[in-house]
Amino acid sequence: MFSAKPPISSSSSTFTSTVPMFFSGTNPRTQLPLLPGRRRPAANRTVRAVISRDEKGVGTATVVGGDEPRGLLPAEGLDVKVVLTIRKKMKEKLVDKVEEHWESFVNGIGRGIVVQLVSEEIDPVTNSGKRSVETPVRGWWPQPSNNPLISEYAANLTIPRDFGLPGAIVITNLHTKEFYLTEIVIHGFSGGPIFFPENSWIHSRSDNPQSRILFSNQAYLPLQTPDGLKDLRKEDLISIRGNGKGERKKFERVYDYAPYNDLGNPDKDEDFARPVLGGYQRPYPRRCRTGRPPAKSDPTTESRVDKPHPVYVPRDETFEEVKQATFSSGALRALLHNLIPALKAALSSDRQFECFSDIDQLYKGVLLKDDGPKAFSKPSLSKILTSIMNVSEMLLKYEIPSIISRDRFSWLRDNEFARQTLAGVNPVDIERLREFPIVSKLDPAVYGPPESAITKECIEHDLNGESLEEAIKNNRLFILDYHDLLLPFVTKINSLKGRKTYASRTIFFRTRFGTLRPIVIELSLPPTPSSPPKKWVYRHAHDATTHWTWKLAKAHVCSVDAGVHQLVNHWLRTHACMEPYIIATHRQLSFMHPIFKLLHPHMRYTMEINALARQSLINGGGIIENCFSPGKYSLELSSAAYKSIWRFDMEALPADLIRRGMAVEDLSMPCGIKLVIEDYPYAADGLLVWSAIQDWVVNYVNHFYTDAKAVTSDTELQAWWDEIKNKGHEDKRNEPWWPKLNTQEDLVKILTIMIWTASGQHAAINFGQYPFGGYMPNRPTLMKQLIPQEDEPEYQDFLLNPQYTFLSAVPSQLQATQIMAVQDTLSTHSPDEEYLGQLHESHSHWINDQQVMSYFEKFSSRLLEIEDIIHKRNKNFHLKNRSGAGVPPYELLLPSSGPGVTGRGVPNSISI
C-alpha cells in the first residue's frame, strides 16, 4: 500500500527521481484557495540565502516576486529540500515538447516556480505563521526518472533552527500556463519527510496574480489548528467561495450555487425552452454556479455553452487525461454507432425494427470498408465514414449484453421480468404491499376516483388458494407503483410526437421458492375534457391474444421503470443530490479538516460528469429527452419526484428498505434490520457494503471527535451542514426530517449516507445499464403506441401481426442505437477508476495518522471479505434470484473491477 521514498542526495540542487509514477489514476486534490490581496513588488530583488547544501556559507540568489524578506537567514540554520513532483501530459504535440523544454530551462534558472514555507508556529513580530524566504526551484533539466511522465524539481533553503514544522507552502507559478502538481515533499527534518499531497492544477500568475496556499497532510479540527496556520485556514475558505459575481473562468477554483436554469436554449428555438428547476414551483437541488450571462430571449435562463466548449467546473474537478481519453473513446463509439442509422435516416427514413433478428445484427458487427466507386450518385456509408474518420476499414460492433448472453429468450419470461425488480439495474422501487384496496393520493377533483381498478378477486386468482388478507399478512405481495408520480404527466407526454405512456402499477406474488411472479398490471390514463379516466387491468393467460397484450403491458411498465430509474433514482438521487454536498465541503471544510480528507475521494469527477450531462444528456433536446418516454418533461418529472419523494434521512439503505417494507427492524441482525425477502440481491449485498462503510466512518469520526461537545464546537462542520440544508437543498430547508448534527452518532449517520450514495448506491443503479438495457426489448426506454383495444381499428392489425405491433411500439433503430451507445459509455469503468477501499499509490500519504491508516486497512480487508461472500452467494443455487440456468450472477456491488463494461465494481465516487 505504501511506497517508501528514496534517500535524498545533498550534492545537487536537482533531485533525481526514483519514486513511482503517479499519473495513472491520480485523483485531483482539491485546489486550495489563493491568498487574497497578496502584494507583489514591482521588481525582482536579490536576497542572500543558501541555495544548495554544497554551497559554503550564504550565497546570493535572485527571488522573483513575493513579499519583502523579513531579514537574512542565519548560516547555522537548518538545510531543507523542497521537492516538487509535476506531471506532464500523456500525449504531447511538438509544441508541447518545445514548451516543456522551455519551462525546464526557466525552472533551471530559478524563474519558473517560487515556494515559501509557512510554519505552524507564530512569528511574534507579524503575529502570523513564521515564513521562510521565498525560494525558486532549480535544476536546468529535470533528472531522468522511472516514469517519463513526471518531472521533479527541488528548492534548497535554510531556515532557522527554531522555525518549527512547516504546515503550509505558498507557491507561485511564474510560467505563462498552469501545471499539474502531484506532490510536494520537504526533506531535512529529524522526524522524517513532510508530505503535501496535492494532485492539483497550479494556475499561472498571468491568469491570477495571487499565489496558491497548500497544506500538509496533517489533519486538524478548527480548534486544534496551530496558531501559525489559523489565518491561512480562514483565507483559504474565503477565497474558494468567491463573491458570487461574474462569469467563472477555466483556471478558477470557485465553488458556488445556482439553480438548474441552463437546461433550455430559448435563443435557439422556442421548442428548446425549459423551465428553471429550483424554487417553490419546481424544487430541485442546486448545481455549481458558472455565472454565464442570461439568454437573450429569457433573462431567467442562463445562456448555453455547446460542445466542444466546456461548461465551467472548478479546475480540479475536471477529468484527468486518462479519464478524458476513456470518455472520448466512448463518445467516439457513440458517434460511430449513431452515425450509421442517422445517415440511413438522412438517405431514407428512421425505421422501426421489422423483426427481432434486426436487433441481433447490432451485436454481429458491421464491417465498413472502401468499396470503390458506385453506380449511383449517393455516396456509400463507408465512404462518408472514411472521409470523416480518416480510416479505410473498421468494425462497428456492440458487445452482447449479459441479460441475453446466457439465455437469448430470458427477457420474455415473467420470472425474469420480476427478478429484475430485485437484482436488475433498478432494484430500488419495489415495495411490500401493506394495504388494500390500493388508493391514490392525488386530488380526485383533478384525476378522478382514487381507487385502483385492481380488485381483490383479480389478485386472489393467482395466490394458489391463499386469501388476499393472508398473503398481505405473510409478506407475499409486492408492488411496483408509479401511478401517482406519472399520472400528472401522462397527458402532456402523450401529446408529444412518438410518445405514449401510462401510469402503471404492477403486483407481484412471492412464491415458496423466494422468487417473484407478476400477477397483475394496471395501466391508467388521466381524465380529459372529453373523457373520464381510464384504467385497464392485464393478467397473464395462456391464449395467444392475452399473451401478447400481457407482453405489451410489461413493455409499458419497463419503459416507465426505465424513465424513473434514469431521471429519479440515477440522476436525481445520486448525481444531482451529491453535487451540493461537494460544493459545501469545499466551501466550508478546510483541506486540513479530517472530514474533508474523509470525503474527498468520494467527490472525484462528479461535478464534471454532471456538467457534461447538463450539456448533452439531460438538456432540452438532449439524448435523455430524445430516447426516454417523458421527453421534454423529463426534468420536470425529476423535480416532482424530488418534491414528493426525496428525503435525506431515507437515503440511508436500511431506512429506505424499511420505508418500502422490504425489511423490518430487528436489532439482532446486522444493520438492525431483517430482509422480508432474503434473496434480494441488491439489498443483501448492499447491506454488506453499507455496514463496512459505516464501521469505517465510526472509527474515523470517533478518532477525531473524542468528547461529547467536539461536534457542536466544530464551527466549520456546523457551517458545512447548515449550508447543505439551507443553500444546497434550499427548497427542502424547512423539512423536519433533516438529521441534527450534535453528536458523533449524528455525524456518522450523515457521512455514511453521503459515502454510500457516491459509491454503493450509484454503482448498483449505474453500471448495469448496458448489461440490462443493452438489449432494447428487455428495457424499452419509450413506447410509441398505447395497447390496442377491441373497439379500436388498430386491434385488427394487432391480431394479424402482433410482432409488428410490438416492434412498432418500441424505440426505432436510431433511438435504440443512441441509447445503447449512452448506456455503454455510462457503464464503462475508466482505467484510472478508484474503487472503494483501495488506496491508489498517489494517495498513500493522504493523511499523517497511522491509527487512521490502520482503520482504513481494516476497511479494505472487510471489502475483500465481501467480495468472497458475494461470489459464494452467486454460486448458491438456493438463491434463485442470482443463480440458475441462464441467470447472470448479481455482481453490481462487487467492490473491485477492471476497466470497461464489467457489470461490477464500486468506485469511490460518481465518476461517470
Side-chain angles (χ1 to χ4, degrees), residues 498-542:
R499 296 287 196 282
K500 296 297 177 184
T501 192
Y502 301 93
S504 69
R505 292 187 178 107
T506 309
I507 305 294
F508 301 87
F509 175 69
R510 179 169 60 88
T511 71
R512 61 189 180 90
F513 302 107
T515 58
L516 296 181
R517 184 177 77 241
I519 57 176
V520 61
I521 292 173
E522 179 192 54
L523 300 178
S524 302
L525 295 176
T528 66
S530 59
S531 65
K534 298 179 180 179
K535 301 177 182 180
W536 293 271
V537 174
Y538 295 92
R539 292 174 41 227
H540 179 76
H542 297 289

Side-chain angles (χ1 to χ4, degrees), residues 6-60:
I8 304 301
S9 169
S10 61
S11 61
S12 171
S13 62
T14 304
F15 180 66
T16 302
S17 170
T18 56
V19 296
M21 172 54 192
F22 295 154
F23 82 94
S24 179
T26 304
N27 181 10
R29 287 294 180 190
T30 308
Q31 200 168 3
L32 295 169
L34 314 175
L35 273 175
R38 280 186 57 81
R39 60 190 177 86
R40 297 315 248 169
N44 299 336
R45 63 196 184 279
T46 300
V47 299
R48 294 180 59 75
V50 173
I51 301 303
S52 76
R53 296 184 183 182
D54 287 346
E55 298 183 28
K56 305 299 182 181
V58 180
T60 300

